[in-house]
Amino acid sequence: MARMHDTIGIIGGSGMLGSAISRAILGSGEFENSNFWVSNRSGEAPELGQSSDIHVTKNNQELVDACDVIVLCVPPAHFADIDVRASDRLIVSVMAGVTIDEMRSKTGAGRIVRAMSSPAASLALVYSPWVASAEVLPKDRNTVNAIFGWCGETDEIFDERQIDHFTAMTGPVPGFVAYFAQCMVDHATSQGIDPGVADRAIRQLFLAGGTMLATDEARPEDLVRWMVDYAGTTAAGLTAMMDSTLSKTISDGLLAAADKAKSMPRWAVLSSE
């Protein structure tokens, strides 16, 4: 991949998500530190191993004026406090729930990408889907693919409403996966297994399972079917789970998270009016 020459600025670049994306960009080996800006309330970013090459400011507009690509990475509730004019910039937002139209109204930009990411970006393990406004250029798409490619895996999607569902499914790392792991640890300890042993066993299980899912060409449903067809001990457990309401319970939880994503920005944006 050719080195990127765009100047990138992250508003909120030293928060949990912002610093994760920042570290992915700076650690890519394809980007000059001198082309990187961060804005935050303190004007300092020690968590990024700040060097003289990185620009840090308290002034969001100063960052916008200096950069080609602006990544909005503040909590959705703080979106109302963002007061910048960026009509000729590429805006990339990873704020849950904030729509392209709301970003257009707030920033004056036309070239807008709405995406979802997570702190797993710092490990280059996040999945970051994104959707673009009609004004986004082919060059912009290459830039977005590069940024999120440094963070892990990425796809452009073409229905903005789906971003809320990805916010629920792939945004809360480790979130739902951690809860399932907790349930397994709780089960193990209820059977008399030492809590430390249970914790190590389930962590290793999820590491192995995640790695296999990530590297195997088979789909999750194929792997489940093969295990059921094998008719062993795992098949007995899977069959019991499939006959229960577990699938609906998971779906209900994901829908609740997606509904929350849809409702989060409305009061925040209106509160600034």
Side-chain angles (χ1 to χ4, degrees):
M1 181 186 297
R3 295 181 71 86
M4 182 183 290
H5 297 292
D6 284 334
T7 301
I8 299 175
I10 301 187
I11 296 179
S14 57
M16 180 180 293
L17 178 55
S19 62
I21 295 174
S22 296
R23 288 195 295 271
I25 293 172
L26 295 172
S28 68
E30 305 293 341
F31 187 81
E32 296 289 346
N33 288 9
S34 59
N35 289 339
F36 189 74
W37 283 68
V38 167
S39 67
N40 57 29
R41 294 178 180 179
S42 69
E44 300 177 353
E47 64 281 352
L48 300 181
Q50 182 178 340
S51 72
S52 59
D53 292 339
I54 300 171
H55 306 276
V56 185
T57 180
K58 296 181 181 180
N59 188 319
N60 291 333
Q61 190 63 54
E62 180 184 14
L63 178 148
V64 169
D65 292 342
C67 295
D68 305 302
V69 183
I70 316 302
V71 181
L72 297 179
C73 197
V74 300
H78 295 171
F79 177 55
D81 300 328
I82 299 297
D83 185 18
V84 297
R85 305 310 297 169
S87 59
D88 59 345
R89 300 295 193 262
L90 171 62
I91 299 292
V92 180
S93 168
V94 291
M95 296 182 293
V98 182
T99 67
I100 287 175
D101 284 344
E102 287 167 340
M103 285 182 280
R104 191 191 309 274
S105 176
K106 190 72 172 169
T107 67
R111 295 155 53 222
I112 298 171
V113 165
R114 180 182 171 192
M116 179 44 51
S117 194
S118 89
S122 65
L123 302 173
L125 290 175
V126 71
Y127 176 73
S128 303
W130 54 276
V131 62
S133 67
E135 296 90 337
V136 167
L137 305 171
K139 177 183 179 296
D140 298 331
R141 285 179 161 82
N142 291 338
T143 297
V144 173
N145 275 323
I147 291 172
F148 289 128
W150 295 332
C151 296
E153 296 291 334
T154 188
D155 283 305
E156 180 178 5
I157 61 175
F158 300 93
D159 183 346
E160 185 179 357
R161 294 171 297 180
Q162 293 179 1
I163 291 290
D164 291 321
H165 293 288
F166 281 107
T167 301
M169 292 187 296
T170 63
V173 176
F176 300 121
V177 175
Y179 179 65
F180 196 91
Q182 176 195 329
C183 290
M184 295 188 72
V185 170
D186 290 345
H187 166 77
T189 57
S190 74
Q191 302 305 304
I193 296 173
D194 177 87
V197 171
D199 183 79
R200 285 191 295 277
I202 300 307
R203 285 175 183 264
Q204 191 66 22
L205 168 69
F206 276 76
L207 172 61
T211 301
M212 292 176 71
L213 281 170
T215 57
D216 199 313
E217 293 184 359
R219 299 170 298 176
E221 65 185 85
D222 296 327
L223 297 173
V224 170
R225 187 181 70 253
W226 295 339
M227 295 300 291
V228 170
D229 289 347
Y230 189 74
T233 57
T234 304
L238 284 171
T239 299
M241 291 180 185
M242 293 163 68
D243 288 342
S244 75
T245 60
L246 178 60
S247 178
K248 183 179 185 304
T249 299
I250 292 173
S251 179
D252 287 346
L254 294 173
L255 286 173
D259 288 343
K260 178 67 174 179
K262 295 173 187 175
S263 65
M264 284 177 66
R266 290 185 173 87
W267 65 269
V269 175
L270 291 173
S271 68
S272 68
E273 297 179 350

